[in-house]
């Protein structure tokens, strides 16, 4: 099963054995997290089946999907999405292993909803797109950069309260 990867998404699966599978005496936990599936490639109504280690088929049904309101930007899309944007842009630099990044991503998702149409919000994986991170001298994550007319206007390092990000956004929008 080919599946694209996105760290800003998480999805939970419920596994059930198909009728043709033989029963097991003590089933393992039926709910387990998977964080490497992009919700755009797997809808909540989708079901997938895989072979278990015993050779029986397991069916996986999506129970919950957390889809980010902030789109993923990459090195390939950086220039068009960020530098050439006529709308101010917020970019969070994150890594998949960073706990504080997950907290910031939740805040960025809220901000993306609050500022829809006024501000484009993106996330960039600093591990997989290290050239962009190096260009902006990102040494630690999370870092949020705000751009207007292709220029970096604000930089916020670390995990901050939502009000801190909103104040920086308002400064950029009013400049």
């Amino acid at each position: 099963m080919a599946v694209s990867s996105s760290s800003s998404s998480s999805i939970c699966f419920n596994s059930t054995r198909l009728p043709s599978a033989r029963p097991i005496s003590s089933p393992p936990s039926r709910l387990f997290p998977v964080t490497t599936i992009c919700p755009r490639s797997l809808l909540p109504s989708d079901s997938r089946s895989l072979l278990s280690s015993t050779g029986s088929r397991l069916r996986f049904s999506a129970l919950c999907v957390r889809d980010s309101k902030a789109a993923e930007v990459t090195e390939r899309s950086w220039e068009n999405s960020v530098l050439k944007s006529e709308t101010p842009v917020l970019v969070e630099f994150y890594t998949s292993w960073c706990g504080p990044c997950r907290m910031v991503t939740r805040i960025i998702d809220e901000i993306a909803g609050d500022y829809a149409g006024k501000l484009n919000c993106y996330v960039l994986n600093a591990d997989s797109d290290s050239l962009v991170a190096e260009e902006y001298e990102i040494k630690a994550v999370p870092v949020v950069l705000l751009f207007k007319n292709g220029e970096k206007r604000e930089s916020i390092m670390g995990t901050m309260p939502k009000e801190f990000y909103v104040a920086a956004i308002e400064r950029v929008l009013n400049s």
Side-chain angles (χ1 to χ4, degrees), residues 8 66-71 104-114 121 123:
S8 63
R66 184 198 164 294
D67 196 8
S68 178
K69 291 180 184 171
V104 172
T105 299
R106 284 188 219 116
I107 294 169
I108 301 307
D109 283 347
E110 288 179 29
I111 289 171
D114 296 345
C121 293
V123 294

Side-chain angles (χ1 to χ4, degrees), residues 84-106:
K84 292 183 178 178
S85 176
E86 294 181 12
T87 306
V89 176
L90 177 149
V91 181
E92 177 201 358
F93 289 78
Y94 77 98
T95 59
S96 59
W97 48 265
C98 171
C101 295
R102 291 184 188 120
M103 294 188 303
V104 172
T105 299
R106 284 188 219 116

Side-chain angles (χ1 to χ4, degrees), residues 121-136:
C121 293
Y122 297 103
V123 294
L124 182 133
N125 187 325
D127 281 339
S128 56
D129 290 302
S130 58
L131 291 178
V132 175
E134 287 173 15
E135 182 178 337
Y136 289 92

Side-chain angles (χ1 to χ4, degrees), residues 1-2 7 12 18 20-21 30 33 36 43 50-51 58 75 81 86 97 110 115 121 129 136 143 145 155 167:
M1 170 172 84
S7 298
C12 302
L18 295 178
S20 61
R30 298 287 187 191
T36 57
L43 300 173
L50 300 171
L51 285 178
L58 294 175
E75 182 182 344
S81 298
E86 294 181 12
W97 48 265
E110 288 179 29
Y115 285 87
C121 293
D129 290 302
Y136 289 92
V143 171
L145 299 181
S155 176

Side-chain angles (χ1 to χ4, degrees), residues 2-173:
V3 183
S4 62
S5 173
S6 174
S7 298
S8 63
S9 304
S10 63
I11 190 164
C12 302
F13 283 96
N14 183 18
S15 68
T16 56
R17 297 207 178 259
L18 295 178
S20 61
R22 63 193 135 154
I24 56 176
S25 56
S26 60
S29 171
R30 298 287 187 191
L31 187 64
F32 52 95
V34 177
T35 58
T36 57
I37 294 182
C38 178
R40 289 173 189 88
S41 64
L42 181 67
L43 300 173
S45 59
D46 277 352
S47 291
R48 307 282 172 135
S49 46
L50 300 171
L51 285 178
S52 72
S53 58
T54 61
S56 61
R57 284 209 169 276
L58 294 175
R59 176 156 300 225
F60 296 92
S61 308
L63 292 178
C64 59
V65 175
R66 184 198 164 294
D67 196 8
S68 178
K69 291 180 184 171
E72 184 97 18
V73 68
T74 64
E75 182 182 344
R76 295 172 105 185
S77 61
W78 180 262
E79 188 172 341
N80 288 331
S81 298
V82 178
L83 301 179
K84 292 183 178 178
S85 176
E86 294 181 12
T87 306
V89 176
L90 177 149
V91 181
E92 177 201 358
F93 289 78
Y94 77 98
T95 59
S96 59
W97 48 265
C98 171
C101 295
R102 291 184 188 120
M103 294 188 303
V104 172
T105 299
R106 284 188 219 116
I107 294 169
I108 301 307
D109 283 347
E110 288 179 29
I111 289 171
D114 296 345
Y115 285 87
K118 297 185 222 171
L119 179 74
N120 295 335
C121 293
Y122 297 103
V123 294
L124 182 133
N125 187 325
D127 281 339
S128 56
D129 290 302
S130 58
L131 291 178
V132 175
E134 287 173 15
E135 182 178 337
Y136 289 92
E137 299 178 359
I138 306 300
K139 307 280 188 231
V141 291
V143 171
V144 173
L145 299 181
L146 288 155
F147 294 83
K148 188 172 185 181
N149 300 323
E151 293 179 19
K152 181 177 88 167
R153 299 285 178 98
E154 293 274 342
S155 176
I156 304 164
M157 292 182 226
T159 306
M160 300 293 176
K162 181 179 177 181
E163 296 77 24
F164 198 87
Y165 298 102
V166 169
I169 290 165
E170 290 297 329
R171 285 193 299 271
V172 169
L173 291 177

